[in-house]
Amino acid sequence: MGIDWLAFVSVAVVSVVAACFVVTVYSIGLRFWSAADTRAGKYTVKDDGTVGPATAGFPLPGQTPPGVRLYRSLAVVCFAVCAAAVLYGIYLIVPQFH
C-alpha cells in the first residue's frame, strides 16, 4: 500500500487555489460594497485623514447617486460566486449528494 503523491499534491494545490479564489472574490465584493456606501455618502474622509460617518450633505432617501446600484450589484454577484463555490465544494465532499 503506497501513497499516490501526484494525487495528493494535485488535491493540495486545488484546495489552496480554491481557497485563494474564494477569499479574493469575497474581498472584491466587500470593496464594491464599501465603494457603494462611499458613493452613497454614508462615509466621508475627514480633514485628519480618518474615515467617519457623514453628518452633512447626506442624500435624501429617494435619491441614489450614480454608481451605487452598479457597485452593490457587483458586490452581490461576488458574494453569490463565493456562495456557489462553497456549496460546490460541499457537494464534492459529501457523497450523499451525488
Side-chain angles (χ1 to χ4, degrees), residues 35-53:
D37 283 347
T38 302
R39 281 189 175 254
K42 291 185 179 181
Y43 301 105
T44 58
V45 179
K46 298 178 183 177
D47 292 334
D48 60 355
T50 60
V51 177

Side-chain angles (χ1 to χ4, degrees), residues 31-94:
R31 180 64 185 108
F32 279 137
W33 195 275
S34 175
D37 283 347
T38 302
R39 281 189 175 254
K42 291 185 179 181
Y43 301 105
T44 58
V45 179
K46 298 178 183 177
D47 292 334
D48 60 355
T50 60
V51 177
T55 55
F58 193 72
L60 297 174
Q63 298 173 341
T64 303
V68 172
R69 288 187 180 151
L70 173 67
Y71 285 145
R72 287 247 195 245
S73 300
L74 290 172
V76 170
V77 167
C78 288
F79 297 148
V81 167
C82 288
V86 169
L87 290 175
Y88 183 66
I90 292 172
Y91 168 77
L92 291 176
I93 291 171
V94 179

Side-chain angles (χ1 to χ4, degrees), residues 16-32 74-75 78-79 81-82:
V16 169
V17 169
C20 289
F21 172 78
V22 169
V23 169
T24 302
V25 173
Y26 191 81
S27 301
I28 292 169
L30 286 177
R31 180 64 185 108
F32 279 137
L74 290 172
C78 288
F79 297 148
V81 167
C82 288

